Amino acid sequence: MFLATIALGGSNAVAIRVGLGELAPIWSATLRFGLASLMLVGIGLFVRPPIPRGRALLGAILYGLLGFAAAYTFAYLGLVNGGAGVAQLVIALAPLLTLLLAVGLGMESVHWQGVAGSLLAAAGIAVVFGDQLSADVPLVSLLLFLCAAVAIAATNVVVKRVPPGHPIPANAIGMAIGTLVLAPLSLVLGERWVIPAQSSTWISLLYLASIGSVALFLAFLFVLARWTASAASYSLLLMPLWTVIAAAVVLGEAITPAFLVGGALVLIGTYLAVFLTPRPKAPVGQPQEAGPIALEVETQPRSG
């Protein structure tokens, strides 16, 4: 199931690129999360989890604004002219950026592993940016990917401060909020609202709404319920490897030596800073967060 999580998450950027061949970016994201939120509502009617109220409802709303509206606006706009492989690689900086934000807000302390990892990751990003710019990838696309990673990191910090409750309604509400923001934004940008006519677009859209959103979320929960939060989060480092291969096969994206070197520096730096840095443990009985996709669920391994 851990490998399935990597494959599902790593394929999303490729599927988005396929859909953008026919659909405008923000309209494509609107359709995706509108459908996914309806699917999660259906699951919620069957499971009947507690509905967020009060502070938890505020957390779910903030989660939607940052984790879906902001993050995916940047990601989808960047993918119009940017490659899927570089998108997933830059967005994989989110755990490191989360750590840096937590340190800046006084939520965590500074350790040498974090400093060294940050420097390595920054060097890797510089190499990747230089490689992509030489391949005529617009700088604005690269910066949009970086903004998406920052938005995801900010989401993690907000989720830690204002937990949105049970993951199924939290994600249903978050995706619905994201849809309500993305739809008018699409109109403001003058995008054409069209129903897909190509089978490849329908396949990518349905994949992203169901497997790439709902199934990925459930698969991550399955892993998280049996592993520690840190161990489950390793999938974020391995997803770019799958994305680069899938993008090369499906989209014909080139894999250059400089991209591989820069990517390795980013992943090693993130691993050193995030996963080898001593982290404060949550009190017994208090949930831990492993990212915006997994909220307030058990993180201790289960037997069997």
Side-chain angles (χ1 to χ4, degrees), residues 100-113:
L100 296 178
L101 281 176
V103 170
L105 294 173
M107 298 170 63
E108 299 190 24
S109 57
V110 180
H111 297 274
W112 71 265
Q113 295 97 326

Side-chain angles (χ1 to χ4, degrees), residues 11-32 75-77 79-82 84 191-209 250-251 253:
S11 299
N12 278 357
V14 177
I16 292 171
R17 286 276 289 172
V18 171
L20 292 181
E22 181 180 5
L23 299 176
I26 306 303
W27 172 234
S28 178
T30 301
L31 289 175
R32 171 188 177 180
Y76 271 74
L77 289 175
L79 280 165
V80 172
N81 296 308
E191 294 184 345
R192 293 181 60 236
W193 286 21
V194 298
I195 301 301
Q198 301 175 16
S199 58
S200 59
T201 306
W202 272 113
I203 291 171
S204 69
L205 179 60
L206 293 176
Y207 171 86
L208 287 166
V250 177
L251 303 174
E253 293 185 5

Side-chain angles (χ1 to χ4, degrees), residues 89-302:
L89 176 63
V90 176
I91 292 174
L93 282 172
L96 173 58
L97 294 174
T98 301
L99 174 62
L100 296 178
L101 281 176
V103 170
L105 294 173
M107 298 170 63
E108 299 190 24
S109 57
V110 180
H111 297 274
W112 71 265
Q113 295 97 326
V115 175
S118 299
L119 293 175
L120 273 179
I125 285 295
V127 172
V128 170
F129 272 38
D131 175 66
Q132 294 298 301
L133 289 174
S134 66
D136 294 329
V137 175
L139 176 61
V140 66
S141 292
L142 301 175
L143 294 177
L144 284 168
F145 295 146
L146 187 58
C147 288
V150 172
I152 293 171
T155 303
N156 292 343
V157 173
V158 169
V159 164
K160 186 69 175 178
R161 288 290 182 89
V162 191
H166 192 282
I168 292 178
N171 278 271
I173 293 171
M175 291 182 187
I177 294 292
T179 301
L180 292 176
V181 174
L182 290 167
L185 176 60
S186 175
L187 291 175
V188 169
L189 294 176
E191 294 184 345
R192 293 181 60 236
W193 286 21
V194 298
I195 301 301
Q198 301 175 16
S199 58
S200 59
T201 306
W202 272 113
I203 291 171
S204 69
L205 179 60
L206 293 176
Y207 171 86
L208 287 166
S210 57
I211 299 175
S213 295
V214 177
L216 171 63
F217 158 72
L218 294 176
F220 197 89
L221 285 184
F222 181 89
V223 173
L224 193 61
R226 288 156 177 80
W227 293 13
T228 63
S230 296
S233 295
Y234 288 151
S235 62
L236 297 173
L237 287 182
L238 297 177
M239 283 180 188
L241 305 179
W242 178 275
T243 304
V244 168
I245 296 173
V249 173
V250 177
L251 303 174
E253 293 185 5
I255 303 177
T256 64
F259 180 84
L260 293 177
V261 171
L265 288 175
V266 170
L267 299 183
I268 293 171
T270 301
Y271 174 78
L272 177 62
V274 178
F275 300 108
L276 293 186
T277 297
R279 309 296 295 276
K281 295 183 179 179
V284 175
Q286 178 178 332
Q288 304 175 33
E289 285 75 29
I293 191 174
L295 311 175
E296 289 205 301
V297 294
E298 180 184 0
T299 58
Q300 298 303 318
R302 292 178 181 174

